[in-house]
Amino acid sequence: MLPREEEEGFSFSDHSHRRFNPLAGSWVLCSPHRAKRPWLGQVEDAPGEQRPAHDPTCFLCPGNRRATGATNDRYTSTYVFPNDYAAVHAEQPDCSTDSLAVVAGENASSALFRVESARGQCSVVCFSPRHDLTLPELGLGEICQVIRTWQGIYAELSAKPSIAYIQIFENKGAAMGCSNPHPHGQVWALSVVPSEPAKEIESLKAYRQARISTNPSACMLCAYVSAEEDNAAAGEQSSRLVLQNKSFMALVPFWATWPFETMIVAKSHVASIADLCESQIADLAEIMQGLTCRYDNLFQCSFPYSMGLHQAPTATHPDAACCHLHMHFYPPLLRSATVRKFLVGFEMMAEPQRDLTAEQAASRLRAQSSTHYKL
C-alpha cells in the first residue's frame, strides 16, 4: 500500500523538499508544514516609529559631530564620508610568515594555517538628511540620487589598482545589527574578492562555459529572468514574481533561505550599476521603493533587512562580462513584526532550512500595497 503522501500526490506547499541555489551551488531544505507549529520562542520588541527629522545626538545627521570628533557637512541630499571605524584600511603592515608563526607556531603546516593581508577602504552613504525616514519613505528622485551616488563611488573605486572588489550594502533595523536608525548604507572596498560573490562569479562563469559552443554570451541570470517571466505568465499560484517594470524585476528566488528573501534582477545583461542609463536608474528606484514599501506594509512596521548589490567586482575585473547586476534582500521577520527567523541548529550544522515556500512568500508580498502604510 502506498504511503498517504504518494496516494494524494506531492505538494510543494505541504511536503518537505530541497531546492538548489545555482548561484551559490548549495541547497536549502523547505519544510512548509512547519509554518503551522505554535511559537513560544523569542519575541522581539516592536520597533519604535517616532523619530525627529533631525536628531542633535545622531552621528549621521547634517552638521552634527561624529564620535571621532569630525563634523558632518550640512548636507541636503546624499552624503558620503569615510567610515570612522573601518573594517579594513588602505595602509597596514604585510602579514608575513613570521607574523603567522606567532599564532600558529614555527612549524605550522601551510595546508592547515593560511593567512593573507586584507586592505581597502570603507565609506558611509547617508541616503537623506532626514533622520526620520527610511528607504521606502524616500521619493523616487531621492532614491535615484542614492543610485547615482553608488555609481560615482563604484567608478571612483574601480579606478584604483589596489581595489579588487566593491560591496555596496545596507543594514536596516536593529534586528540586522544597524547601530544608527538614520537612513544610510555602506561601501566596503577590498583588495580581494570575498567568498560569497566569488562563489556566484564561479557559478556564472561555469554556466557560460558549459554553453559557450552554442551561446558564447550565455548568462544564468538572464535565463533565470526569462524563466521566471514565463512562470509568472502561467499563473499566480506558482509565481515568485513580486513586481516588475521595463528594466528590473523583484522576486522571491526559487531557492530563497530567509522567509521573505527577495532579489532584484536587471532584465537585460548589465554587469554593474555603473552601466545603468537614466531610464534604468529610474526603473531601479521604482522597484526598490515598491519592494521596500511592500516589506513595511506586510507587518505594518519598519521592516528590517540586509541588502547588498552583487555585480562585477570592479569595472575592470577580468570576469566583469560574466557578471549580472542584482540585489539581495535578506529580511529576518517570519510571522509578525516581533517574531523572526533564526539560522541555528540544523541550519548551522547541515544546510539552510525554511518553513514558508518561495511561492507563498511572493504571494503575500504581491498582495501588499505599493503605497506606504504611513501615508
Side-chain angles (χ1 to χ4, degrees):
M1 185 174 179
L2 289 173
R4 189 168 177 227
E5 290 83 1
E6 293 186 35
E7 287 179 354
E8 296 180 348
F10 180 85
S11 169
F12 277 101
S13 59
D14 290 317
H15 301 137
S16 302
H17 58 282
R18 297 170 78 214
R19 299 191 182 195
F20 183 66
N21 180 344
L23 271 176
S26 59
W27 291 83
V28 57
L29 173 65
C30 298
S31 311
H33 54 284
R34 277 172 53 88
K36 303 169 186 175
R37 76 191 193 280
W39 180 261
L40 296 176
Q42 178 171 318
V43 176
E44 307 289 331
D45 292 332
E49 293 291 328
Q50 298 300 319
R51 299 200 306 270
H54 182 277
D55 183 347
T57 68
C58 171
F59 296 130
L60 303 184
C61 277
N64 286 1
R65 187 178 296 274
R66 302 200 297 273
T68 57
T71 300
N72 297 328
D73 294 344
R74 296 190 179 277
Y75 61 96
T76 58
S77 181
T78 55
Y79 179 58
V80 182
F81 63 88
N83 194 315
D84 296 324
Y85 300 97
V88 289
H89 298 279
E91 301 295 335
Q92 68 174 29
D94 284 331
C95 183
S96 64
T97 303
D98 291 340
S99 302
L100 178 60
V102 174
V103 294
E106 294 290 341
N107 299 314
S109 167
S110 59
L112 301 177
F113 299 95
R114 296 176 62 187
V115 67
E116 64 181 18
S117 294
R119 294 184 175 86
Q121 62 188 78
C122 302
S123 300
V124 175
V125 182
C126 294
F127 298 157
S128 167
R130 289 276 299 271
H131 184 78
D132 57 335
L133 300 180
T134 59
L135 191 63
E137 298 170 277
L138 298 181
L140 288 175
E142 293 171 303
I143 300 175
C144 284
Q145 185 55 39
V146 171
I147 295 168
R148 292 189 196 99
T149 300
W150 287 343
Q151 285 183 312
I153 294 171
Y154 180 87
E156 179 183 345
L157 291 171
S158 288
K160 295 188 175 185
S162 60
I163 298 300
Y165 181 78
I166 302 160
Q167 181 62 65
I168 299 168
F169 67 98
E170 177 197 8
N171 293 324
K172 182 190 174 202
M176 297 310 291
C178 181
S179 60
N180 190 315
H182 192 104
H184 74 286
Q186 299 185 56
V187 180
W188 290 14
L190 279 73
S191 56
V192 295
V193 180
S195 302
E196 291 305 310
K199 284 190 292 186
E200 286 195 2
I201 292 169
E202 285 304 310
S203 295
L204 291 167
K205 287 170 60 181
Y207 184 93
R208 174 170 292 187
Q209 188 61 38
R211 294 156 181 79
I212 200 164
S213 61
T214 56
N215 185 4
S217 60
C219 170
M220 178 195 296
L221 285 178
C222 286
Y224 183 58
V225 164
S226 178
E228 288 289 15
E229 284 185 316
D230 291 345
N231 184 62
E236 281 204 349
Q237 184 175 358
S238 63
S239 176
R240 288 168 291 275
L241 184 64
V242 178
L243 69 159
Q244 64 177 328
N245 56 26
K246 182 179 179 181
S247 306
F248 291 90
M249 67 164 51
L251 52 84
V252 179
F254 178 75
W255 53 82
T257 295
W258 293 93
F260 293 98
E261 175 182 334
T262 57
M263 188 164 69
I264 295 177
V265 195
K267 287 187 173 182
S268 60
H269 189 76
V270 179
S272 77
I273 198 165
D275 299 325
L276 299 182
C277 65
E278 279 299 313
S279 65
Q280 290 171 316
I281 290 172
D283 282 350
L284 179 55
E286 180 184 64
I287 292 292
M288 289 171 61
Q289 185 190 64
L291 176 62
T292 53
C293 276
R294 283 171 170 81
Y295 271 155
D296 281 10
N297 291 343
L298 183 63
F299 296 136
Q300 299 280 287
C301 71
S302 185
F303 206 80
Y305 58 72
S306 279
M307 171 273 286
L309 280 71
H310 278 176
Q311 55 188 331
T314 65
T316 57
H317 192 277
D319 295 321
C322 291
C323 297
H324 187 121
L325 174 65
H326 59 288
M327 301 173 69
H328 292 285
F329 284 78
Y330 298 135
L333 297 185
L334 174 59
R335 298 177 181 225
S336 69
T338 59
V339 177
R340 62 173 294 172
K341 163 75 175 177
F342 291 92
L343 291 181
V344 295
F346 183 88
E347 290 102 331
M348 296 178 72
M349 306 299 169
E351 69 184 17
Q353 181 271 339
R354 64 181 284 125
D355 297 345
L356 202 64
T357 68
E359 296 75 30
Q360 291 167 338
S363 177
R364 292 181 63 181
L365 288 172
R366 269 198 312 272
Q368 304 305 311
S369 172
S370 60
T371 301
H372 199 273
Y373 73 91
K374 290 183 181 179
L375 299 178

